[in-house]
Amino acid sequence: MADEQAAKRIAEFIEPLRVTPGSKVTLAKDFDPGYKADFVKKKDGLELLQRGVELMTEYQSRLAAQDTYGLLVVLQALDAAGKDGTIRHVMSGVNPQGVFVHSFKVPSPEEINHEYLWRYAKALPGRGEIGIFNRSHYEEVLVVRVHPENLVRQRLPKEARGRDVWKRRYRDINDWERHLADNGFKIVKLLLNLSQEEQRVRFLRRIDLPDHNWKFSAADAHERTFWPAYQKAFSEMLTATSTEWAPWYVIPADHKWFARICASAVIANALIEIDPHYPRVSPEARKALEATKVELEAQAPEGAAPDPFAAQTAAAASRQHDARKTGKKARKKATKEAKKAKKAAKAERKDRASVEQADRLADRETEKESLREDEREARVVERETGAGGEAAGKGAH
Ligand code: AMP
Ligand code: MG
């Protein structure tokens, strides 16, 4: 279970990434692709990354068991922003049975023969499931807008392709998402925000590393010439479609490791907000379970435990209890020994100090004695040389 502190930390961490519904966004001005919070290096964020994945694992399991809510994660980005890597990472902690990834490419003839939301609706997650859209219905206001020939291919009737077509699409999308949210499907939308320079470097890497060549196409590089048009389309999309029921999060994508922390934190937060629970059986159903248990126990063959699982559970609990007790004892013993060692060290220091002091006193005494000896000798010499006659005479007075 997510402790409240972890949940709070995650919510605070993702807050700066959230596009406030109703706010006007200029992507380049409002969001820095190189942002990495207070983390200086990758290792600083490892704990949060680990926690995000753990929470996802736990909550996905409950989401599936409860079978009431679903989660849709929308991933949008330009080429080389790290969508695939992010999905791989997010998937690392979840049970593949309950998570589906759907990648949207150029529409097929069948898809283009329908209204534009058709193919996305077909790929939505069911209850208890997490669906990840690798590209999404937002392509309909991004690539289709930047390259209007895509709109022509959609064969819209005249009244549907006027100048307000994008505004109407934003409205359609908001309404559609609201309908999904109202019916138990939570939606989070992630825009991986890459800088133009980082994209250039990543493209070069794909060219320079033979194993990565397959990922690169000259068309991707050509698409860079449309960079300003995409930035404008992104900004308008974020402004018009970040809603209370399906907010956008702009994920800084220039540092891949940081983008992954952000993505898993946003998804973990969405699951925490859903707060799914394992279903509890009713008292009647519980009674029926107990009755079946008695029957099964009675069927145990000779020599077998009536309920080996209960015996195992009890043994495991007792082992855990013992381990905790032994641990406590060992800690106590270690503390006692450490105290004893400290005391012995102190005594030794004290002994050493007193020996040194005794040596110093003895040295001083020897020195004094040798001075006294010198004086005695000097007096003897004075007496013997006569120089001391005066003194002796004086003394005779
Ligand atoms: P990728 O994700 O790199 O495999 O490429 C998929 C391609 O499909 C991208 O170039 C997208 O822009 C394009 N695409 C996705 N959805 C649409 C759409 N609705 N209309 C036109 N092109 C699309
Ligand atoms: Mg591509």
Side-chain angles (χ1 to χ4, degrees), residues 270-346:
L271 287 166
I272 291 169
E273 281 179 0
I274 295 175
D275 195 23
H277 289 283
Y278 288 116
R280 289 257 165 258
V281 296
S282 64
E284 297 83 61
R286 184 69 226 167
K287 241 187 211 160
L289 287 177
E290 293 298 338
T292 312
K293 180 179 157 83
V294 171
E295 273 173 36
L296 288 170
E297 282 175 347
Q299 291 166 21
E302 225 181 282
D307 184 349
F309 183 73
Q312 267 173 29
T313 321
S318 143
R319 268 199 306 278
Q320 220 173 31
H321 178 74
D322 286 353
R324 237 180 272 136
K325 238 170 118 180
T326 324
K328 222 173 175 179
K329 243 186 192 166
R331 273 198 301 279
K332 233 177 172 175
K333 196 175 160 198
T335 316
K336 212 169 158 186
E337 269 166 15
K339 265 188 189 162
K340 218 165 129 187
K342 211 170 153 187
K343 214 168 158 185
K346 200 172 161 188

Side-chain angles (χ1 to χ4, degrees), residues 33-51:
Y35 173 73
K36 43 183 175 153
D38 297 329
F39 302 143
V40 182
K41 286 194 229 80
K42 185 174 174 176
K43 70 173 172 42
D44 301 329
L46 280 183
E47 194 215 322
L48 196 62
L49 186 67
Q50 188 56 32
R51 195 80 189 102

Side-chain angles (χ1 to χ4, degrees), residues 82-137:
K83 291 193 300 289
D84 295 341
T86 303
I87 293 170
R88 222 180 311 122
H89 172 73
V90 167
M91 297 293 283
S92 71
V94 295
N95 180 348
Q97 281 207 49
V99 182
F100 302 90
V101 182
H102 202 101
S103 300
F104 293 98
K105 311 278 181 188
V106 176
S108 69
E110 190 197 12
E111 288 170 342
I112 211 114
N113 208 29
H114 291 80
E115 59 80 27
Y116 74 95
L117 287 177
W118 181 78
R119 68 168 181 163
Y120 307 100
K122 275 209 322 179
L124 285 171
R127 301 200 187 278
E129 293 171 355
I130 299 177
I132 301 177
F133 278 3
N134 181 1
R135 300 187 188 268
S136 68
H137 45 296

Side-chain angles (χ1 to χ4, degrees), residues 213-235:
N213 287 173
W214 64 272
K215 275 191 175 180
F216 186 76
S217 82
D220 293 346
H222 176 67
E223 204 61 5
R224 277 168 64 78
T225 55
F226 296 92
W227 192 273
Y230 273 110
Q231 294 298 303
K232 186 165 176 278
F234 280 138
S235 298

Side-chain angles (χ1 to χ4, degrees), residues 202-275:
R202 289 188 190 174
F203 278 169
L204 283 169
R205 190 169 174 273
R206 287 179 178 184
I207 293 169
D208 293 343
L209 300 176
D211 286 355
H212 291 244
N213 287 173
W214 64 272
K215 275 191 175 180
F216 186 76
S217 82
D220 293 346
H222 176 67
E223 204 61 5
R224 277 168 64 78
T225 55
F226 296 92
W227 192 273
Y230 273 110
Q231 294 298 303
K232 186 165 176 278
F234 280 138
S235 298
E236 284 192 22
M237 171 197 82
L238 293 169
T239 302
T241 62
S242 194
T243 54
E244 291 295 347
W245 58 90
W248 273 106
Y249 290 87
V250 178
I251 308 292
D254 275 7
H255 303 284
K256 282 185 181 173
W257 59 269
F258 188 70
R260 284 168 199 179
I261 295 176
C262 295
S264 60
V266 170
I267 297 170
N269 183 69
L271 287 166
I272 291 169
E273 281 179 0
I274 295 175
D275 195 23

